[in-house]
Amino acid sequence: MAVGETDRKKQRQYFSQQFQNRMRRPRSYPPLGASQARERTVYKLFMESFRDTSAVIWKSTFVPSEIIYALGAVPLYIESFSAVASAVDICPAMLDASEKHGFSRDSCSFLRGVLGASLKGMLPRPDALVSSSYYCDGDPKIFDIFAEKYKKPHFYLQVPFMTDEEWSLDIVAEQLEEITVELARATGRVFSREKLSEIINNSNEACRYFQQAMELRKNVPSPMLGCEAIDYIGSISQLWGSRDFVRISRHLCEELEERVEKGAAAVENEQFRLLWCHLRPYYNDEVFHYLEFQHRAVVAFENINLITWEDMDPQRPFQSLAKKLLTNSGIGSYERMTQWIASLVRDYTIDGVIWMAPWGCRHFNSLSQLVKDGLRKEVDVPFFILDLECIDKRNYSKEQVRTRLDAFIEVLEGRK
Amino acid sequence: MFTAGIDIGSVSTEVVILGEKNEILSYTVFDSQVDIEKTVQEAFRIALEKACLTSEKIDSVVSTGYGRNNVPFANKSVTEITCHALGAQHLFPGTKTVIDIGGQDSKAIALAGQGNGRVRVVDFIMNDKCAAGTGRFLEVMAGVLNIDIKDMGCLSQRSNREVSISSMCTVFAESEVISLIHQKLPKEDIVSGLHTAIARKVLSLVQRVPMEEEITLTGGVMKNRGVVEKLRQELLPKRINLPDEPQIAGALGAAIMAKRHTVSRT
Ligand SMILES: Nc1ncnc2c1ncn2[C@@H]1O[C@H](COP(=O)(O)OP(=O)(O)OP(=O)(O)O)[C@@H](O)[C@H]1O
Ligand code: SF4
Ligand SMILES: [Mg+2]
């Protein structure tokens, strides 16, 4: 696509076209109403970001979208664009573009993808950018490239490793407040504490429903496919604080309640229950379908859908947001992650853990063996590290993956 | 009761025919061709001939390896992880760990007893996408050195001043070897260096599963004495088992699986 960087109308049309195609794709399972609503909401958000009148703030994974909603701006979780693009199969051109720009094929494809999209002028222009030191260092670096390119300010959130220290909370809270004020200035929006409190209440409400929904997934047989559930996380990162997400979570909760009541199983004749760690390949559904439909091994839960924070105090919004951020299981020491995984294994009656080690992600790969060894001391559960690519389908070999999955399922069968 | 196991790997295809008492009646080793079905037919036919049997006499067939789903007459397909484990344990009942180095995969498999004399796989690890530390790596290097892969083991025994190979990427190591040849270094020293490199690479992978004695080595690369020797040295003082024919462990395991399959059917 050759569009000028500021030609939002053309970008909008192009994106809309891709999305319509995506929605018309043949599906191998009937999606839940909430999941469809989630897809439409994300689509709406992207469409919104292509409007000239919108203030758009690019954010990375852990930057709380609440502060952006509080300014009436559109939060765009920009790495998720790579996932969306991979799903609609427009990613190869983006990846090519980033390679031509000097980005190694061995580096993270989320970042390569979004960089390529920017080079090809596919992305809605930002008014400001916020990155954080978690999940990874690649993020702020690439955000710097964007800031330079779009001539917009880039704010950086330093998240300390010592998550449990009181001072960590203060540091994050202070930064969040500062960044919010700066964002208001950069986008010409007014920041009001009342508005932020309202947004915090939205998050609390959505969280209660979402947690309840995830609680319902403890049911055996599982009421929801992992293939479907894992897609919530990408949207969640940019929907916390919105009314839309309250509605989606409530809807999801109601649907799952109904399914559990009726005894409806996501996978007929469920044989095994798996815990899936990290994200997924976005270019196809093969891996999940193979597990869930061929082997009847339902992905009962995904570690990334785990919510670890308590209700936030709307009167102390920045402290609360800091706490929410720091309790995330992905942040901090590997022991913390190991403990969380162990508790999920128990709570969700898990037969086996699949730890997806994404290609080029230094961050997650460095955790793999530590968590595997640590978990061995906590629970007796087979744990398989699956090397897999999330975005770049050129790094995917169906047969190799199937052999590994088949072998893992044989391990689980051997324990029965 | 007679059963057959067929292992269609990325490089070779093996057939093992098992007799009443689980004894190996015959086996064949073929190159895997593009036409998997044809290779399998031929390997199976010859194995039957050697065992003086006809296909009607075979009660059950299990296929394994990358081509496991392309054997129309197989009763079941099982991955090579499980099959190598069963094969190794059949040959050496005390096996706790299997290291298999094949054409495109190297893997380690951890076993545990089940109490009924049978074992099960408790953990395994396989190399990631690249060919470093596999048979293909050695094949490419043999090509560059213009020697037969079968002679590598023997040749390396003559080395008395091993050359260190630093690169494990097949492409980079290839150019490294070419430059060593240009420096007129003896081939045996280069080959010995390659064996050390491959042994270290495989061990760095396989040591991620608990490496308990006894360790049994399988796969075509274990026919290379040089590689086996390096593995032994690195794993000292652990006890290492080497089958007479390490390449057929997968097919043997498949034939054993076929026996279980028939028993559970009847
Ligand atoms: N006689 C021999 N001497 C030395 N090395 C050999 C010999 N025969 C085979 N090899 C090595 O064994 C490798 C093939 O091993 P094997 O037959 O176990 O692979 P495969 O099962 O087909 O592959 P995979 O399991 O990876 O799909 C060859 O690449 C070669 O390096
Ligand atoms: S996948 Fe890894 S490298 Fe890529 S953005 Fe996420 S944390 Fe960073
Ligand atoms: Mg093999």
Side-chain angles (χ1 to χ4, degrees), chain A residues 92-106:
Chain A
M94 290 161 39
L95 293 165
D96 278 348
S98 72
E99 274 161 43
K100 274 187 208 135
H101 201 70
F103 268 67
S104 158
R105 259 187 84 177
D106 287 335

Side-chain angles (χ1 to χ4, degrees), chain A residues 61 79 108-111 135-139 278-279 358-364:
Chain A
T61 319
E79 294 101 303
C108 164
S109 47
F110 281 98
L111 300 180
Y135 231 23
C136 76
D137 186 49
D139 249 344
H278 202 263
L279 298 166
W359 177 288
C361 176
R362 272 42 166 182
H363 185 93
F364 212 68

Side-chain angles (χ1 to χ4, degrees), chain B residues 139-192:
Chain B
E139 284 183 30
V140 171
M141 299 312 144
V144 177
L145 287 159
N146 196 21
I147 51 179
D148 192 323
I149 187 130
K150 293 192 186 71
D151 301 331
M152 283 181 113
C154 219
L155 189 66
S156 67
Q157 311 281 303
R158 279 192 253 137
S159 160
N160 43 29
R161 193 189 267 224
E162 185 177 307
V163 179
S164 142
I165 307 286
S166 55
S167 185
M168 253 343 275
C169 160
T170 312
V171 179
F172 290 165
E174 189 175 347
S175 47
E176 197 174 336
V177 167
I178 290 173
S179 98
L180 293 172
I181 296 171
H182 287 166
Q183 289 168 41
K184 304 229 174 339
L185 287 164
K187 281 187 184 173
E188 54 265 32
D189 294 343
I190 302 176
V191 172
S192 184

Side-chain angles (χ1 to χ4, degrees), chain A residues 40 106 202 206 236 385:
Chain A
R40 280 194 302 270
D106 287 335
N202 288 344
I236 289 177
I385 300 172

Side-chain angles (χ1 to χ4, degrees), chain A residues 276-279 354-369 383-390, chain B residues 128-129 208:
Chain A
W276 182 276
C277 301
H278 202 263
L279 298 166
I354 295 188
W355 178 276
M356 195 195 118
W359 177 288
C361 176
R362 272 42 166 182
H363 185 93
F364 212 68
N365 278 298
S366 63
L367 269 180
S368 307
Q369 194 66 26
F383 185 102
F384 183 58
I385 300 172
L386 177 67
D387 292 302
L388 203 57
E389 163 66 52
C390 292
Chain B
D128 49 26
K129 302 153 185 81
R208 285 186 232 155

Side-chain angles (χ1 to χ4, degrees), chain A residues 73-263:
Chain A
V74 183
L76 211 56
Y77 171 28
I78 204 68
E79 294 101 303
S80 79
F81 191 87
S82 294
V84 174
S86 182
V88 298
D89 205 21
I90 54 172
C91 219
M94 290 161 39
L95 293 165
D96 278 348
S98 72
E99 274 161 43
K100 274 187 208 135
H101 201 70
F103 268 67
S104 158
R105 259 187 84 177
D106 287 335
S107 58
C108 164
S109 47
F110 281 98
L111 300 180
R112 268 191 294 138
V114 65
L115 179 82
S118 156
L119 289 167
K120 292 189 79 70
M122 288 172 171
L123 298 175
R125 175 169 40 77
D127 293 289
L129 307 94
V130 193
S131 69
S132 68
S133 56
Y134 262 103
Y135 231 23
C136 76
D137 186 49
D139 249 344
K141 292 201 166 105
I142 208 156
F143 270 55
D144 256 350
I145 301 180
F146 294 140
E148 174 99 345
K149 170 173 172 163
Y150 296 101
K151 306 266 176 288
K152 295 292 171 189
H154 168 202
F155 305 101
Y156 172 69
L157 175 66
Q158 173 71 40
V159 183
F161 181 76
M162 323 291 232
T163 46
D164 299 328
E165 306 286 334
E166 193 63 33
W167 53 262
S168 295
L169 202 69
D170 294 338
I171 288 179
V172 176
E174 266 168 42
Q175 291 181 83
L176 283 175
E177 183 156 8
E178 227 174 83
I179 290 173
T180 308
V181 172
E182 289 296 331
L183 284 176
R185 193 171 302 150
T187 54
R189 307 265 155 159
V190 191
F191 167 62
S192 106
R193 276 192 176 260
E194 290 72 56
K195 180 76 183 164
L196 183 57
S197 300
E198 193 186 299
I199 298 287
I200 296 274
N201 278 328
N202 288 344
S203 274
N204 284 341
E205 200 183 341
C207 177
R208 284 192 289 268
Y209 287 122
F210 194 75
Q211 262 176 327
Q212 211 175 323
M214 294 304 113
E215 195 69 23
L216 287 161
R217 297 181 66 200
K218 290 181 182 166
N219 193 69
V220 182
S222 178
M224 186 178 191
L225 288 171
C227 184
E228 186 169 8
I230 198 165
D231 282 337
Y232 275 76
I233 188 63
S235 356
I236 289 177
S237 172
Q238 52 199 354
L239 294 182
W240 282 124
S242 67
R243 279 315 291 172
D244 281 328
F245 192 49
V246 177
R247 275 189 289 274
I248 293 168
S249 307
R250 186 170 52 216
H251 194 173
L252 179 65
C253 197
E254 287 163 359
E255 280 180 296
L256 292 187
E257 233 157 32
E258 196 189 322
R259 288 183 64 89
V260 169
E261 246 164 57
K262 280 202 215 140

